[in-house]
Amino acid sequence: MRELTRAEEQVMQVLWKLKKGFVKDILEHFDDPKPAYNTISTIVRILQDKGFVDHKAYGRTHEYYPLVSKDDYSKSHLSNFVNDYFSNSFGKMVSFFAKENHISVKEMEEIMKIMQNEVKKQKSKK
Amino acid sequence: MRELTRAEEQVMQVLWKLKKGFVKDILEHFDDPKPAYNTISTIVRILQDKGFVDHKAYGRTHEYYPLVSKDDYSKSHLSNFVNDYFSNSFGKMVSFFAKENHISVKEMEEIMKIMQNEVKKQKSKK
DNA sequence: AAGATATAACGAAAAAATTAGTTATGCAAC
DNA sequence: GTTGCATAACTAATTTTTTCGTTATATCTT
């Protein structure tokens, strides 16, 4: 999956939040100084060309919605990152951030609980 | 920390691997079709302006080396990502990827071991 | 020293991304 | 129906990024 450019990503973040919206709606969710209406309109059409969004037409006005979910894009992006920076090992990445204290004890305990569950689930499959 | 552009990132990846190198060395590590010598030379000088690398001069030739480590860039990049896609919670991110089966049982067991250790370490600090 | 070679610096062309003005069209208000 | 307004499409300007030709300079070879 292609990576989003900076401007494209900002628009996608808004659409992911809104679920769907007209250019006007997207624009509203930008901080001041807001870009021009046409700027958003252009970007959203580029996103459509790239297959990240589609639209439903009401007469002449278009309601845009994501084709690629935030989860799917996350997955793709983080997979690339893990591949490029942690030789494709999620384990290495998580260990690194755990050791660097970017994950709190509380978070680690939560993660371990979830993992224990997942491990159990995976093993019982066999 | 500023994000690297695509071309810049490729050069940084090589420099991180080499630890240090002349433009010629960096060029060698590119796949065919290799870019022009001057392309790399320009990018590495841009990286220098941005503070990602510096160089040691041997007469007229420059040996470049990273000022920003791969680890530091990873941290910055992933922090941004976690902030934008998982409301700044590493726990949420890791849980998501654990549930999506992007982390193998073996990896999860390793991660849990490391986390148990970290948790113990953190708690004994008090 | 003269010529060849390698390199960085410079400059600029080309490509990609961003921003927004202009235009055309449809709908709404009157 | 005419006017005004909102919108998408189109176009273009600007900025950023990427690429590389040209030039100047230092070093090496002879």
Side-chain angles (χ1 to χ4, degrees), chain B residues 36-109:
Chain B
Y37 178 98
N38 284 332
T39 301
I40 304 300
S41 168
T42 302
I43 292 172
V44 97
R45 244 169 313 113
I46 291 169
L47 285 167
Q48 188 172 260
D49 291 344
K50 292 191 179 175
F52 281 95
V53 309
D54 201 357
H55 76 267
K56 199 174 153 186
Y58 294 94
R60 234 179 95 74
T61 87
H62 295 180
E63 185 174 47
Y64 293 93
Y65 56 88
L67 277 186
V68 174
S69 71
K70 190 171 177 177
D71 279 359
D72 283 349
Y73 186 71
S74 295
K75 261 186 254 177
S76 163
H77 181 80
L78 192 65
S79 295
N80 289 339
F81 174 74
V82 168
N83 186 52
D84 293 344
Y85 287 86
F86 292 93
S87 40
N88 218 18
S89 156
F90 276 88
K92 274 189 196 147
M93 181 195 72
V94 176
S95 305
F96 174 71
F97 282 90
K99 285 180 186 152
E100 291 281 331
N101 296 335
H102 279 85
I103 312 182
S104 68
V105 168
K106 194 163 137 271
E107 277 183 311
M108 285 194 278
E109 283 169 343

Side-chain angles (χ1 to χ4, degrees), chain B residues 1-60:
Chain B
M1 186 186 301
R2 257 181 96 192
E3 294 274 322
L4 296 166
T5 65
R6 263 199 331 288
E8 286 168 3
E9 195 184 347
Q10 284 176 41
V11 170
M12 285 305 292
Q13 287 283 1
V14 174
L15 269 181
W16 282 324
K17 192 191 287 180
L18 298 186
K19 307 274 196 290
K20 63 185 179 180
F22 301 93
V23 171
K24 178 168 53 62
D25 302 324
I26 299 171
L27 187 56
E28 257 169 29
H29 282 74
F30 272 75
D31 291 334
D32 296 306
K34 294 190 198 305
Y37 178 98
N38 284 332
T39 301
I40 304 300
S41 168
T42 302
I43 292 172
V44 97
R45 244 169 313 113
I46 291 169
L47 285 167
Q48 188 172 260
D49 291 344
K50 292 191 179 175
F52 281 95
V53 309
D54 201 357
H55 76 267
K56 199 174 153 186
Y58 294 94
R60 234 179 95 74

Side-chain angles (χ1 to χ4, degrees), chain A residues 51-65:
Chain A
F52 281 95
V53 310
D54 201 357
H55 76 266
K56 198 173 151 185
Y58 294 95
R60 233 179 95 74
T61 87
H62 295 180
E63 186 174 46
Y64 293 93
Y65 56 89

